[in-house]
Structure formats: structure tokens, C-alpha cells
Coordinates of all heavy atoms in Angstrom, one line a residue:
M147 N 88.1 141.1 104.6 CA 87.0 140.5 104.1 C 87.2 139.0 103.7 O 88.3 138.7 103.3 CB 86.6 141.3 102.8 CG 85.3 140.7 102.2 SD 84.9 141.6 100.6 CE 84.6 140.2 99.6
N148 N 86.3 138.2 104.0 CA 86.4 136.8 103.7 C 86.4 136.6 102.2 O 85.5 137.2 101.5 CB 85.2 136.1 104.3 CG 85.3 134.6 104.1 OD1 86.2 134.1 103.5 ND2 84.4 133.9 104.7
K149 N 87.3 135.9 101.6 CA 87.4 135.8 100.2 C 86.6 134.6 99.6 O 86.7 134.3 98.4 CB 88.9 135.6 99.7 CG 89.7 136.9 100.0 CD 89.3 138.1 99.2 CE 90.1 139.2 99.5 NZ 89.7 140.5 98.9
E150 N 85.9 133.9 100.5 CA 85.0 132.9 100.0 C 83.9 133.5 99.2 O 83.3 134.6 99.6 CB 84.4 132.1 101.2 CG 83.4 131.1 100.8 CD 82.7 130.4 102.0 OE1 83.3 130.5 103.1 OE2 81.6 129.9 101.8
A151 N 83.5 132.9 98.1 CA 82.5 133.5 97.2 C 81.4 132.5 97.0 O 81.6 131.4 96.6 CB 83.1 134.0 95.9
R152 N 80.1 133.0 97.2 CA 79.0 132.3 96.8 C 78.2 133.2 95.9 O 78.0 134.4 96.2 CB 78.1 131.9 98.0 CG 78.7 130.8 98.8 CD 77.7 130.3 99.8 NE 77.1 131.4 100.5 CZ 76.1 131.4 101.3 NH1 75.5 130.3 101.5 NH2 75.6 132.5 101.9
T153 N 77.6 132.7 94.8 CA 76.9 133.6 93.9 C 75.4 133.7 94.3 O 74.7 132.8 94.3 CB 76.9 133.0 92.4 OG1 78.3 132.9 92.1 CG2 76.2 133.9 91.5
L154 N 75.1 134.9 94.8 CA 73.7 135.3 95.1 C 73.1 136.0 94.0 O 71.9 135.7 93.6 CB 73.7 136.1 96.4 CG 74.1 135.5 97.7 CD1 74.1 136.5 98.8 CD2 73.3 134.3 98.0
L155 N 73.8 136.9 93.4 CA 73.3 137.7 92.3 C 74.5 137.6 91.2 O 75.5 138.2 91.4 CB 73.0 139.1 92.6 CG 72.0 139.3 93.7 CD1 71.9 140.8 94.0 CD2 70.6 138.8 93.2
P156 N 74.3 136.8 90.2 CA 75.4 136.5 89.2 C 75.7 137.8 88.5 O 74.9 138.6 88.2 CB 74.8 135.5 88.3 CG 73.3 135.6 88.4 CD 73.1 136.1 89.8
S157 N 77.0 137.9 88.2 CA 77.5 139.0 87.3 C 77.8 138.4 86.0 O 78.2 137.3 85.8 CB 78.8 139.6 87.9 OG 79.4 140.5 87.1
D158 N 77.5 139.3 84.9 CA 77.7 138.8 83.6 C 79.1 139.0 83.0 O 79.3 138.7 81.9 CB 76.6 139.4 82.7 CG 76.6 140.9 82.7 OD1 77.4 141.5 83.5 OD2 75.8 141.5 81.9
S159 N 80.0 139.6 83.8 CA 81.3 139.8 83.3 C 82.3 139.9 84.5 O 82.0 140.3 85.6 CB 81.4 141.1 82.5 OG 81.3 142.2 83.3
K160 N 83.5 139.5 84.2 CA 84.6 139.6 85.2 C 84.9 141.0 85.7 O 85.0 141.2 86.9 CB 85.8 138.9 84.7 CG 87.0 138.9 85.7 CD 88.0 137.8 85.5 CE 89.1 137.8 86.5 NZ 88.9 138.3 87.8
P161 N 84.9 142.0 84.8 CA 85.2 143.3 85.3 C 84.1 143.8 86.3 O 84.4 144.5 87.2 CB 85.2 144.2 84.0 CG 85.6 143.2 82.9 CD 85.0 141.9 83.3
K162 N 82.9 143.5 86.0 CA 81.8 143.9 86.9 C 82.0 143.1 88.3 O 81.8 143.7 89.3 CB 80.4 143.5 86.4 CG 80.0 144.5 85.3 CD 78.6 144.2 84.8 CE 78.2 145.1 83.7 NZ 76.8 144.7 83.2
A163 N 82.3 141.9 88.2 CA 82.6 141.1 89.5 C 83.7 141.7 90.2 O 83.7 141.9 91.5 CB 82.8 139.7 89.1
D164 N 84.8 142.1 89.5 CA 86.0 142.7 90.2 C 85.6 144.0 90.8 O 86.1 144.4 91.9 CB 87.1 142.8 89.2 CG 87.7 141.5 88.7 OD1 87.5 140.5 89.4 OD2 88.4 141.5 87.7
E165 N 84.8 144.8 90.1 CA 84.4 146.1 90.6 C 83.5 145.9 91.9 O 83.7 146.7 92.9 CB 83.6 146.8 89.6 CG 83.2 148.2 89.9 CD 82.4 148.9 88.8 OE1 82.5 148.5 87.7 OE2 81.8 150.0 89.1
M166 N 82.7 144.9 91.9 CA 81.9 144.6 93.1 C 82.8 144.2 94.3 O 82.5 144.7 95.4 CB 80.8 143.5 92.8 CG 79.9 143.2 94.0 SD 79.0 144.7 94.5 CE 77.4 144.0 94.7
L167 N 83.7 143.4 94.0 CA 84.7 143.0 95.1 C 85.5 144.1 95.6 O 85.7 144.3 96.8 CB 85.6 141.8 94.6 CG 84.9 140.5 94.4 CD1 85.9 139.5 93.8 CD2 84.4 139.9 95.7
A168 N 85.9 145.0 94.7 CA 86.6 146.2 95.2 C 85.7 147.1 96.1 O 86.1 147.6 97.1 CB 87.1 147.0 94.0
F169 N 84.4 147.2 95.7 CA 83.4 148.0 96.5 C 83.3 147.3 97.9 O 83.3 148.0 98.9 CB 82.1 148.1 95.8 CG 81.0 148.6 96.7 CD1 80.9 149.9 97.1 CD2 80.0 147.7 97.1 CE1 79.9 150.4 97.9 CE2 79.0 148.2 98.0 CZ 79.0 149.5 98.3
L170 N 83.1 146.0 97.9 CA 83.0 145.3 99.2 C 84.2 145.5 100.1 O 84.0 145.6 101.3 CB 82.8 143.8 98.9 CG 81.4 143.4 98.3 CD1 81.4 141.9 98.0 CD2 80.3 143.8 99.2
D171 N 85.3 145.6 99.5 CA 86.5 145.9 100.3 C 86.5 147.2 101.0 O 87.2 147.5 102.0 CB 87.8 145.7 99.5 CG 88.2 144.2 99.3 OD1 87.8 143.4 100.1 OD2 88.9 144.0 98.3
T172 N 85.7 148.2 100.5 CA 85.6 149.5 101.1 C 84.7 149.5 102.3 O 84.7 150.5 103.1 CB 85.1 150.6 100.1 OG1 83.8 150.3 99.7 CG2 86.0 150.6 98.8
L173 N 83.9 148.5 102.4 CA 82.9 148.4 103.5 C 83.5 147.8 104.8 O 84.4 146.9 104.6 CB 81.7 147.6 103.1 CG 80.9 148.1 101.9 CD1 79.8 147.1 101.6 CD2 80.3 149.4 102.2
D174 N 83.1 148.3 105.9 CA 83.5 147.6 107.1 C 82.7 146.3 107.3 O 81.8 146.0 106.5 CB 83.4 148.5 108.4 CG 82.0 148.9 108.7 OD1 81.0 148.3 108.1 OD2 81.8 149.8 109.5
Q175 N 83.0 145.5 108.3 CA 82.3 144.2 108.5 C 80.8 144.4 108.6 O 80.0 143.6 108.1 CB 82.9 143.5 109.7 CG 82.4 142.1 109.8 CD 83.4 141.1 110.3 OE1 84.5 141.5 110.6 NE2 83.1 139.8 110.3
N176 N 80.3 145.4 109.4 CA 78.9 145.6 109.5 C 78.2 146.0 108.2 O 77.1 145.6 107.9 CB 78.6 146.7 110.6 CG 78.9 146.3 112.0 OD1 78.8 145.1 112.3 ND2 79.2 147.2 112.8
G177 N 78.9 146.8 107.4 CA 78.4 147.2 106.1 C 78.3 146.0 105.1 O 77.4 145.8 104.4
Q178 N 79.3 145.1 105.2 CA 79.3 143.9 104.4 C 78.1 143.0 104.8 O 77.4 142.5 104.0 CB 80.6 143.1 104.5 CG 81.8 143.8 103.9 CD 83.1 143.1 104.1 OE1 83.1 142.0 104.6 NE2 84.2 143.7 103.8
R179 N 77.9 142.9 106.1 CA 76.8 142.0 106.6 C 75.5 142.6 106.2 O 74.6 141.9 105.8 CB 76.9 141.9 108.1 CG 75.9 141.0 108.8 CD 76.3 139.6 108.4 NE 75.0 138.9 108.1 CZ 74.9 137.7 107.7 NH1 76.0 137.0 107.5 NH2 73.8 137.1 107.5
S180 N 75.4 143.9 106.3 CA 74.1 144.6 105.9 C 73.8 144.4 104.4 O 72.7 144.1 104.0 CB 74.1 146.1 106.2 OG 74.2 146.3 107.6
L181 N 74.9 144.5 103.6 CA 74.7 144.3 102.1 C 74.3 142.8 101.8 O 73.4 142.6 101.0 CB 75.9 144.7 101.4 CG 75.8 144.7 99.9 CD1 74.8 145.7 99.4 CD2 77.2 145.1 99.2
L182 N 75.0 141.9 102.5 CA 74.6 140.5 102.3 C 73.2 140.2 102.7 O 72.5 139.5 102.0 CB 75.6 139.6 103.1 CG 75.3 138.1 103.1 CD1 75.4 137.6 101.7 CD2 76.3 137.4 104.0
D183 N 72.8 140.8 103.9 CA 71.4 140.6 104.3 C 70.4 141.2 103.3 O 69.4 140.5 103.0 CB 71.2 141.3 105.6 CG 71.9 140.6 106.8 OD1 72.3 139.4 106.6 OD2 72.0 141.3 107.9
F184 N 70.8 142.3 102.7 CA 69.9 142.9 101.7 C 69.8 142.0 100.4 O 68.7 141.7 99.9 CB 70.4 144.3 101.2 CG 69.7 144.8 100.0 CD1 68.5 145.4 100.2 CD2 70.3 144.8 98.8 CE1 67.8 145.9 99.1 CE2 69.6 145.3 97.7 CZ 68.4 145.9 97.8
F185 N 71.0 141.5 100.0 CA 70.9 140.6 98.8 C 70.2 139.3 99.1 O 69.4 138.8 98.2 CB 72.4 140.3 98.4 CG 73.1 141.4 97.6 CD1 74.4 141.5 97.7 CD2 72.4 142.3 96.8 CE1 75.1 142.5 97.0 CE2 73.0 143.3 96.1 CZ 74.4 143.4 96.2
Q186 N 70.3 138.8 100.3 CA 69.6 137.5 100.6 C 68.1 137.8 100.7 O 67.3 137.0 100.2 CB 70.1 137.0 101.9 CG 71.5 136.3 101.8 CD 72.0 135.9 103.1 OE1 71.8 136.4 104.2 NE2 72.9 134.8 103.0
G187 N 67.7 139.0 101.2 CA 66.3 139.3 101.2 C 65.7 139.6 99.8 O 64.6 139.1 99.6
A188 N 66.5 140.2 99.0 CA 66.1 140.4 97.6 C 65.9 139.1 96.9 O 64.9 138.9 96.2 CB 67.1 141.3 96.8
K189 N 66.8 138.1 97.1 CA 66.7 136.8 96.4 C 65.5 136.1 97.0 O 64.7 135.4 96.2 CB 68.0 136.0 96.7 CG 68.1 134.7 95.9 CD 68.2 135.0 94.4 CE 68.5 133.7 93.7 NZ 68.4 133.9 92.3
F190 N 65.3 136.2 98.3 CA 64.1 135.5 98.9 C 62.8 136.1 98.3 O 61.9 135.3 98.0 CB 64.1 135.7 100.4 CG 62.9 135.2 101.1 CD1 62.7 133.9 101.4 CD2 62.0 136.1 101.6 CE1 61.6 133.4 102.0 CE2 60.8 135.7 102.2 CZ 60.6 134.4 102.4
M191 N 62.7 137.4 98.2 CA 61.5 138.0 97.7 C 61.3 137.6 96.2 O 60.2 137.4 95.8 CB 61.5 139.5 97.8 CG 61.3 140.0 99.2 SD 59.7 139.4 99.9 CE 58.6 140.2 98.8
Q192 N 62.4 137.5 95.5 CA 62.3 137.1 94.1 C 61.7 135.7 94.0 O 60.8 135.5 93.2 CB 63.6 137.2 93.4 CG 63.6 136.8 91.9 CD 65.0 136.8 91.4 OE1 66.0 136.4 92.0 NE2 65.2 137.3 90.1
N193 N 62.2 134.8 94.8 CA 61.7 133.4 94.8 C 60.3 133.4 95.3 O 59.4 132.6 94.8 CB 62.6 132.6 95.7 CG 63.9 132.3 95.0 OD1 64.1 132.4 93.8 ND2 64.9 132.0 95.9
L194 N 59.9 134.2 96.3 CA 58.6 134.2 96.8 C 57.6 134.7 95.7 O 56.5 134.2 95.6 CB 58.5 135.1 98.0 CG 57.3 135.1 98.9 CD1 57.0 133.7 99.5 CD2 57.4 136.1 100.0
M195 N 58.0 135.8 95.0 CA 57.1 136.3 94.0 C 56.9 135.3 92.8 O 55.8 135.2 92.3 CB 57.7 137.6 93.4 CG 57.7 138.7 94.5 SD 56.1 139.2 95.1 CE 55.5 140.1 93.7
L196 N 58.0 134.6 92.5 CA 57.9 133.6 91.4 C 56.9 132.5 91.9 O 56.1 131.9 91.1 CB 59.2 133.0 91.0 CG 60.1 134.0 90.2 CD1 61.5 133.4 90.0 CD2 59.4 134.2 88.8
A197 N 57.1 132.1 93.1 CA 56.2 131.0 93.6 C 54.8 131.4 93.7 O 53.9 130.5 93.6 CB 56.7 130.5 95.0
A198 N 54.5 132.7 93.9 CA 53.1 133.1 94.0 C 52.4 133.3 92.6 O 51.2 133.4 92.6 CB 53.1 134.5 94.7
Q199 N 53.2 133.2 91.6 CA 52.6 133.4 90.2 C 51.8 132.1 89.8 O 52.3 131.0 90.2 CB 53.7 133.6 89.2 CG 54.3 135.0 89.2 CD 55.3 135.2 88.2 OE1 55.7 134.2 87.5 NE2 55.8 136.4 88.0
P200 N 50.7 132.3 89.2 CA 50.0 131.1 88.6 C 51.0 130.3 87.7 O 51.8 130.9 87.0 CB 48.8 131.6 87.9 CG 48.6 133.0 88.4 CD 50.0 133.5 88.9
P201 N 50.9 129.0 87.6 CA 51.8 128.2 86.8 C 51.9 128.6 85.4 O 52.9 128.5 84.8 CB 51.3 126.8 86.9 CG 50.5 126.8 88.2 CD 50.0 128.2 88.4
D202 N 50.8 129.1 84.8 CA 50.8 129.4 83.3 C 51.5 130.8 83.1 O 51.8 131.1 81.9 CB 49.4 129.5 82.8 CG 48.5 130.5 83.4 OD1 48.8 130.8 84.6 OD2 47.6 130.9 82.8
T203 N 51.9 131.6 84.1 CA 52.5 132.8 83.9 C 54.0 132.8 84.3 O 54.7 133.8 84.2 CB 51.8 134.0 84.6 OG1 51.9 133.7 86.0 CG2 50.4 134.1 84.1
R204 N 54.5 131.7 84.8 CA 55.9 131.6 85.3 C 56.8 131.5 84.1 O 56.5 130.9 83.1 CB 56.1 130.3 86.2 CG 55.4 130.5 87.5 CD 55.7 129.3 88.3 NE 55.0 129.3 89.6 CZ 54.8 128.3 90.4 NH1 55.4 127.2 90.2 NH2 54.1 128.4 91.5
P205 N 57.9 132.2 84.2 CA 58.9 132.1 83.1 C 59.4 130.6 83.0 O 59.6 129.9 84.0 CB 60.1 133.0 83.5 CG 59.7 133.6 84.8 CD 58.4 133.0 85.2
S206 N 59.6 130.2 81.8 CA 60.1 128.8 81.6 C 61.5 128.7 81.8 O 62.3 129.7 81.5 CB 59.7 128.3 80.2 OG 60.3 129.1 79.2
A207 N 62.0 127.6 82.3 CA 63.4 127.5 82.7 C 64.2 126.9 81.5 O 63.8 126.3 80.6 CB 63.6 126.6 83.9

């Protein structure tokens, strides 16, 4: 597995991040790619849903 890390879905603790990396190491390359595609799709949909909300209902940053 490539050890380069980009945060798509942030983890709130190091143990959770370590557990996720251990899980990723159990996947073959196709499984890793599928999971990455899923996460990217989820992030895209989250951004799309936020953009579709009227300005007065968007969460403040």
C-alpha cells in the first residue's frame, strides 16, 4: 500500500487512524481503489448537498 496520506475523511484520534490504516493493509489494490472511490464519492455528495442548500440554512464555518 502506498503510505502517502491525504485526509478525505478526518479521524478524531490517532488510534482510530491507526486502525483504519491496518484495515487498509488487509485490502488488495482493487479493494483499496474501490474504498477510495467510495470515500471520494461520499465527499463529493456531501459538498453537492451543502451547495444545494439555501444560504440561510447552511452551517456556519
Side-chain angles (χ1 to χ4, degrees):
M147 182 182 136
N148 184 356
K149 296 296 181 186
E150 176 185 338
R152 286 188 312 165
T153 303
L154 295 176
L155 299 175
S157 173
D158 57 355
S159 71
K160 180 157 177 30
K162 285 184 184 179
D164 291 342
E165 185 177 343
M166 181 58 133
L167 287 175
F169 168 72
L170 290 173
D171 282 337
T172 68
L173 299 175
D174 63 12
Q175 189 144 4
N176 288 334
Q178 290 177 10
R179 184 71 221 174
S180 293
L181 187 59
L182 176 61
D183 290 343
F184 172 78
F185 284 151
Q186 288 175 329
K189 188 69 172 171
F190 173 77
M191 285 304 299
Q192 181 182 41
N193 289 336
L194 191 62
M195 296 297 287
L196 284 174
Q199 289 180 349
D202 60 334
T203 61
R204 289 185 188 167
S206 60

